């Protein structure tokens, strides 16, 4: 499971960093054409806008996977150890439900509706821009499922080690 998470993390980080570097180059080009050539680029602003949408959505999925988002887990951390796991799982299921319903299903419908519309300067189907929503939703679903799995496995290991400790303590005392 860790290998899958690490691969997903590295892939998303590479894509977002590459897109960010591309955006910097496009922004420099936009400034150069506007102020040096006195002929502003007609497509650079739209490229930047749509790239920012993709970087933001992929970055949000990455942040969710790294647990760097606004922590809903604060509630679970304040609870006793035996009650924290069910609350953590419930929170992950709520996030997973949101990702499925809003991001994947709603995003897919938006992609389908907007595929016939084209952007003004690039003439790219708008569905490709909105595709960032279901893609990031799928990534969040994957991270959420991994988190649920890891939480359950961690809890089983804790229970097993507690049982082993109790057995060894009994043998030592007996």
């Amino acid at each position: 499971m860790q290998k899958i998470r690490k691969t997903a993390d590295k892939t998303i980080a590479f894509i977002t960093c590459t897109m960010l570097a591309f955006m910097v180059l496009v922004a420099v080009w936009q400034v150069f054409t506007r102020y040096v050539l006195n002929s502003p680029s007609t497509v650079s602003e739209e490229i930047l806008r749509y790239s920012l949408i993709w970087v933001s959505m992929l970055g949000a999925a990455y942040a969710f996977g790294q647990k760097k988002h606004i922590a809903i887990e604060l509630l679970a951390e304040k609870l006793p150890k035996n009650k924290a796991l069910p609350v953590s799982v419930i929170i992950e299921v709520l996030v997973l439900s949101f990702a499925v319903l809003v991001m994947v299903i709603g995003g897919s419908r938006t992609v389908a509706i907007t595929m016939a519309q084209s952007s003004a300067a690039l003439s790219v189907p708008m569905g490709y821009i909105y595709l960032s929503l279901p893609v990031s939703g799928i990534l969040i679903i994957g991270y959420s499922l991994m988190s649920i799995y890891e939480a359950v496995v961690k809890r089983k290991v804790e229970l097993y080690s507690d049982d082993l400790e109790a057995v060894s303590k009994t043998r030592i005392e007996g």
Side-chain angles (χ1 to χ4, degrees):
M1 192 63 65
Q2 288 295 349
K3 188 175 182 180
I4 294 169
R5 181 183 290 272
K6 189 178 272 191
T7 303
D9 289 345
K10 285 183 179 181
T11 303
I12 296 169
F14 175 77
I15 291 169
T16 53
C17 288
T18 303
M19 288 181 74
L20 196 57
F22 172 73
M23 290 172 63
V24 169
L25 293 174
V26 172
V28 168
W29 173 253
Q30 183 178 23
V31 169
F32 177 77
T33 58
R34 179 168 297 183
Y35 294 108
V36 176
L37 301 178
N38 290 324
S39 176
S41 172
T42 57
V43 296
S44 58
E45 188 173 332
E46 203 165 275
I47 290 171
L48 288 170
R49 184 180 313 124
Y50 298 147
S51 296
L52 181 62
I53 291 169
W54 270 93
V55 166
S56 299
M57 295 307 294
L58 291 175
Y62 180 79
F64 181 80
Q66 296 293 308
K67 305 272 187 213
K68 302 288 184 190
H69 54 85
I70 296 176
I72 303 171
E73 298 174 359
L74 183 66
L75 178 65
E77 291 172 0
K78 298 291 183 190
L79 293 173
K81 207 175 191 180
N82 62 341
K83 294 180 183 177
L85 176 68
V87 171
S88 293
V89 171
I90 289 169
I91 290 169
E92 288 293 338
V93 168
L94 290 172
V95 169
L96 191 127
S97 300
F98 174 81
V100 168
L101 294 173
V102 175
M103 298 179 81
V104 175
I105 294 172
S108 296
R109 288 181 181 167
T110 303
V111 169
I113 291 169
T114 59
M115 207 45 105
Q117 300 172 3
S118 294
S119 65
L122 296 172
S123 297
V124 174
M126 291 301 293
Y128 292 141
I129 310 314
Y130 291 113
L131 188 62
S132 64
L133 196 58
V135 167
S136 64
I138 290 168
L139 292 170
I140 288 173
I141 289 168
Y143 279 124
S144 187
L145 289 172
M146 283 188 271
S147 293
I148 291 170
Y149 175 79
E150 289 167 358
V152 170
V153 167
K154 180 181 173 188
R155 180 65 178 150
K156 283 183 181 179
V157 168
E158 287 174 357
L159 289 173
Y160 181 73
S161 64
D162 289 347
D163 289 346
L164 283 177
E165 190 177 304
V167 168
S168 65
K169 196 175 195 181
T170 305
R171 286 184 181 167
I172 292 171
E173 291 174 357

